[in-house]
C-alpha cells in the first residue's frame, strides 16, 4: 500500500514536564513549600512537530513513549494537532520521558531529565519508517535521542533526497562530521553555536563569524544561527557572505519553546512554500516564533493558521533573491542558493523584547503579565522539553532553560535497549485503537481565517 504524502517528519523525543514553582531553588537537604505545580507535553521533537502541524503541515512523529498515562496524553495531543502516529512505539514497563523541573521566582531552574522510552528508539525503528520519511518533504532531527538514531535518520533522508533540518540541541561538543555535512540546514542558537565553534557568540557580528566557521571549516551545507530579539543569521553556502534577518518587536510573556516554534515554522515554509527565498522563509519563521512568546506555555503558545496574518501565507516573495528553493529534488548541490541582496540586513533588531530561552511554560495569558524582562535572545538556548497543556491562570514570570541538561552523550549505549522487543508489537494502533492519531488528509487552508492583523503583535511603540 502506497504511503500517503507528508510534509514534515520529525524523529525525536517526547518528554512530560513536571514543573514546581518555589521562591528559590532548594539547597542540598532543604525542603521547600512551592506555590504551583504543572504538567504538560514537551520534548524538542514533539514541540517542533506540533509547531509545524498547527500551521497546516501534514506531519508524522517517529518516537517512543511509555505504556503509562503520560504516553496517552501525548497521543491525544498529537491527534489534536494533525500528527500521524503510525511510528510511535509504546514500550511496556518503561515510563514516557520526563523532565522534573524546579523553577524559582527569579526564573532560575534546575532540571532532572529521565529519558525513559526515548532511549528505546533505535536505528531499526528509523529503518522501519523509511517509506514514511521517503514520502515527506522535510525531516527534522535534534539531539534529545540517541545520536546513532539521529544520524541514521539524517542519512536515510539524504538517501531519499528529503531535505533535512538538524537542530543539535541539547548541544554536544565532538559531534561526528556527518552531523555537519549531511543536513541541508544546520540550525543552532548562540549557545549551541559557541559549543560547535569554540567562539563566543553574543551579537550579530559574532554570529556571522560563527556561521563562516560552520560553513567554511565544518563543511555545513547551510547554517542558521538564531539570535532571539536580533532575529537570525543565515549563510547559504561556502563563499557566500552571511545575511542578517531581523524580527518583530514584541512584549514577551513566556519564551518557552520559541526555538522549537521557529524550527517547526521553518520546516512548514520549506515544504509548503518551497519557492520562497530562504531569507523570506526565515523572516516568516521569526515572526511566528515572536508571536509564540506573547502567550504562556509551549505547544499551546504555538499559533495556528487562523491566528496569523494572511501575508504569512502569501506565495509572493518580498525578496528577489533566489536563495532557499527547498523543493524536494535529486540535486544535493546548493550552488543555486545565494545570500546576496537578501533585503533584510537593515531590518531593525534592537530593543526586541522576546527572547529564545526554552524552559517550560504555562498556558496562554495576556502579554500584560510580568515576565516582560525575559529576553528572546535566550529562547532556544537550552530548550529541552517544553510544557504543553498547562493552566491559563498561572503567575509564572520567567520559566526558562528547561532542557539544558545534556543527556545525549550516553544515548549510544541505549540503542540496544531490551525494551525494543516489547515495543515492536506495541505501537499506537494496539495502544489506542479507538482514537487513532492525526488526520493525514487535513488541508492547511481549511481552517485559515486570516483574520488576525499583524499589528496585534508587532508593537514597536510599547511592546
Amino acid at each position: 500500500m502506497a504511503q500517503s504524502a507528508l510534509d514534515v517528519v520529525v524523529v525525536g523525543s517526547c518528554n512530560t514536564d513536571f514543573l514546581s514553582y518555589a521562591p528559590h531553588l532548594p539547597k542540598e537537604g532543604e525542603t521547600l513549600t512551592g506555590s504551583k505545580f504543572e504538567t504538560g507535553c514537551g520534548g524538542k521533537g514533539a514541540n517542533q512537530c506540533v509547531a509545524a502541524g498547527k500551521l497546516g503541515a501534514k506531519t508524522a512523529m517517529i518516537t517512543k513513549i511509555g505504556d503509562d498515562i503520560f504516553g496517552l496524553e501525548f497521543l491525544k495531543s498529537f491527534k489534536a494537532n494533525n500528527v500521524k502516529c503510525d511510528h510511535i512505539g509504546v514500550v511496556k514497563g518503561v515510563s514516557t520521558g520526563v523532565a522534573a523541573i524546579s523553577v524559582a521566582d527569579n526564573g532560575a531552574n534546575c532540571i532532572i531529565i529521565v529519558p525513559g522510552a526515548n532511549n528505546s528508539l533505535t536505528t531499526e525503528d528509523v529503518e522501519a519508517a523509511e517509506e514514511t520519511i521517503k514520502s515527506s518533504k522535510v525531516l527534522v532531527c535534534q539531539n534529545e535521542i540517541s545520536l546513532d538514531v539521529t544520524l541514521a535518520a539524517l542519512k536515510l533522508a539524504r538517501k531519499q533526497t528529503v531535505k533535512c533540518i538538524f537542530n543539535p540541541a541539547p548541544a554536544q561538543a565532538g559531534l561526528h562530521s556527518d552531523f555537519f555535512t549531511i543536513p541541508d540546514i544546520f540550525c543552532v542558537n548562540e549557545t549551541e553555536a559557541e559549543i560547535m565553534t569554540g567562539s563566543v557568540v553574543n551579537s550579530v557580528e559574532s554570529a556571522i563569524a560563527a556561521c563562516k566557521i560552520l560553513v567554511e571549516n565544518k563543511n555545513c551545507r547551510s547554517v542558521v544561527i538564531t539570535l532571539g530579539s536580533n532575529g537570525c543569521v543565515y549563510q547559504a553556502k561556502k563563499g557566500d557572505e552571511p545575511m542578517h534577518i531581523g524580527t518583530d518587536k514584541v512584549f514577551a510573556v513566556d519564551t518557552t519553546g520559541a526555538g522549537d516554534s521557529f524550527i517547526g515554522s521553518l520546516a512548514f515554509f520549506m515544504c509548503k512554500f518551497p519557492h520562497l527565498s530562504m531569507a523570506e522563509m526565515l523572516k516568516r519563521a521569526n515572526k511566528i516564533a515572536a508571536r509564540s512568546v506573547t502567550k504562556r506555555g509551549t505547544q499551546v503558545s504555538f499559533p495556528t493558521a487562523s491566528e496569523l496574518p494572511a501575508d504569512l501565507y502569501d506565495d509572493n516573495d518580498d525578496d528577489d533573491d533566489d536563495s532557499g528553493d527547498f523543493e524536494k529534488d535529486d540535486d544535493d548541490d546548493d550552488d543555486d542558493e545565494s545570500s546576496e541582496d537578501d533585503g533584510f540586513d537593515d531590518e531593525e533588531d534592537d530593543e526586541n523584547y522576546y527572547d529564545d530561552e526554552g524552559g517550560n511554560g504555562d498556558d496562554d495569558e495576556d502579554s500584560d503579565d510580568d515576565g516582560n524582562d525575559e529576553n528572546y535572545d535566550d529562547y532556544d538556548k537550552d530548550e529541552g522539553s517544553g510544557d504543553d497543556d498547562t493552566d491559563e491562570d498561572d503567575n509564572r514570570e520567567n520559566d526558562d532553560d528547561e532542557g539544558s541538561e545534556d543527556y545525549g552523550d550516553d544515548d549510544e549505549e541505549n540503542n540496544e535497549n531490551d525494551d525494543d522487543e516489547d515495543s515492536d508489537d506495541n505501537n499506537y494502533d494496539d495502544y489506542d485503537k479507538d482514537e487513532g492519531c492525526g488526520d493525514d488528509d487535513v488541508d492547511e487552508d481549511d481552517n485559515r481565517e486570516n483574520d488576525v492583523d499583524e499589528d496585534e503583535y508587532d508593537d514597536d511603540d510599547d511592546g
Side-chain angles (χ1 to χ4, degrees):
M1 185 176 180
Q3 170 72 51
S4 57
L6 291 165
D7 295 317
V8 178
V9 172
V10 178
V11 179
S13 61
C14 291
N15 290 328
T16 300
D17 298 328
F18 297 88
L19 299 101
S20 298
Y21 299 90
H24 61 84
L25 297 181
K27 299 177 182 177
E28 185 175 351
E30 181 180 13
T31 299
L32 294 175
T33 298
S35 58
K36 191 163 188 175
F37 173 75
E38 294 175 344
T39 64
C41 294
K44 291 188 66 62
N47 289 344
Q48 293 169 8
C49 192
V50 167
K54 291 182 77 170
L55 293 175
K58 295 179 181 178
T59 63
M61 188 79 192
I62 300 172
T63 190
K64 288 287 180 71
I65 56 177
D67 61 342
D68 51 23
I69 189 172
F70 306 116
L72 278 173
E73 288 302 314
F74 270 102
L75 292 176
K76 292 177 182 177
S77 173
F78 287 140
K79 179 181 180 181
N81 288 293
N82 193 29
V83 178
K84 282 178 62 68
C85 305
D86 295 19
H87 294 284
I88 296 180
V90 179
V91 187
K92 288 184 176 180
V94 177
S95 71
T96 300
V98 298
I101 307 162
S102 298
V103 183
D105 286 347
N106 66 358
N109 61 30
C110 60
I111 305 168
I112 297 176
I113 290 178
V114 182
N118 290 310
N119 282 343
S120 298
L121 192 64
T122 67
T123 56
E124 289 76 17
D125 294 317
V126 171
E127 291 166 1
E130 180 170 3
E131 288 302 312
T132 294
I133 294 174
K134 180 181 178 180
S135 74
S136 68
K137 299 173 184 175
V138 177
L139 175 79
V140 182
C141 294
Q142 323 77 31
N143 268 0
E144 284 195 335
I145 57 175
S146 164
L147 294 179
D148 283 349
V149 176
T150 297
L151 187 56
L154 292 171
K155 287 182 175 180
L156 183 55
R158 174 59 54 193
K159 169 187 170 185
Q160 299 294 349
T161 67
V162 174
K163 299 299 182 182
C164 315
I165 301 174
F166 178 46
N167 174 217
Q172 299 179 40
L175 287 178
H176 189 278
S177 61
D178 285 349
F179 285 102
F180 297 92
T181 60
I182 291 177
D184 293 280
I185 297 178
F186 189 87
C187 185
V188 291
N189 62 25
E190 295 155 296
T191 300
E192 293 150 9
E194 288 184 359
I195 292 173
M196 300 300 169
T197 64
S199 301
V200 174
V201 181
N202 56 13
S203 65
V204 171
E205 293 72 23
S206 58
I208 287 174
C211 256
K212 291 180 178 179
I213 292 173
L214 289 168
V215 173
E216 307 295 339
N217 299 345
K218 299 284 189 178
N219 297 313
C220 291
R221 292 169 177 264
S222 67
V223 170
V224 175
I225 299 180
T226 57
L227 303 173
S229 62
N230 283 327
C232 63
V233 169
Y234 168 65
Q235 183 170 350
K237 64 181 184 295
K238 283 189 176 183
D240 281 4
E241 186 64 23
M243 65 173 74
H244 171 235
I245 301 168
T247 190
D248 292 327
K249 297 179 180 181
V250 297
F251 186 91
V253 172
D254 184 353
T255 61
T256 304
D260 292 334
S261 174
F262 177 90
I263 296 284
S265 301
L266 178 58
F268 168 79
F269 288 115
M270 285 173 61
C271 66
K272 305 302 283 188
F273 298 89
H275 297 296
L276 292 177
S277 69
M278 177 53 64
E280 181 65 21
M281 293 184 196
L282 293 170
K283 177 185 177 184
R284 297 184 189 192
N286 274 341
K287 286 179 176 289
I288 294 172
R291 168 61 79 92
S292 76
V293 306
T294 64
K295 297 172 67 176
R296 290 197 179 276
T298 304
Q299 293 181 13
V300 292
S301 75
F302 300 160
T304 61
S306 63
E307 296 172 324
L308 294 169
D311 63 343
L312 291 182
Y313 285 79
D314 189 346
D315 207 17
N316 295 322
D317 197 334
D318 290 342
D319 185 15
D320 293 333
D321 182 15
D322 291 331
S323 67
D325 186 339
F326 275 91
E327 197 169 25
K328 180 178 176 181
D329 54 40
D330 295 328
D331 187 5
D332 290 338
D333 180 325
D334 290 321
D335 290 341
D336 58 342
E337 297 178 25
S338 170
S339 64
E340 296 178 359
D341 301 325
D342 63 287
F344 301 105
D345 291 47
D346 296 326
E347 200 162 308
E348 289 185 301
D349 55 71
D350 57 329
E351 301 293 331
N352 291 33
Y353 300 123
Y354 82 105
D355 190 306
D356 57 337
E357 188 77 9
N360 290 275
D362 325 294
D363 210 358
D364 9 298
E365 291 204 310
D366 295 328
S367 58
D368 295 338
D369 276 293
D370 293 336
N372 54 346
D373 55 343
E374 292 188 14
N375 211 335
Y376 171 47
D377 289 340
D378 301 319
Y379 83 95
D380 60 356
K381 288 185 178 177
D382 295 302
E383 283 176 32
S385 52
D387 183 16
D388 189 14
D389 299 319
T390 51
D391 293 334
E392 295 185 356
D393 56 352
D394 63 50
N395 297 314
R396 257 181 78 223
E397 298 183 20
N398 296 302
D399 36 356
D400 302 336
D401 298 335
E402 82 204 63
S404 58
E405 298 296 314
D406 184 358
Y407 58 90
D409 288 332
D410 61 354
D411 284 340
E412 295 183 15
E413 61 186 333
N414 291 317
N415 287 338
E416 299 177 0
N417 191 306
D418 291 338
D419 292 318
D420 295 330
E421 295 181 8
D422 292 329
S423 65
D424 289 340
D425 296 324
N426 291 280
N427 58 24
Y428 102 96
D429 289 322
D430 297 323
Y431 188 58
D432 196 13
K433 289 182 178 178
D434 294 330
E435 285 194 294
C437 192
D439 183 359
D440 195 38
D441 295 322
V442 174
D443 189 300
E444 71 274 8
D445 294 325
D446 287 347
N447 297 319
R448 280 186 54 225
E449 300 174 277
N450 298 327
D451 54 359
V452 180
D453 189 77
E454 182 176 356
D455 290 338
E456 292 182 12
Y457 65 94
D458 185 7
D459 189 342
D460 290 346
D461 295 328
D462 56 9

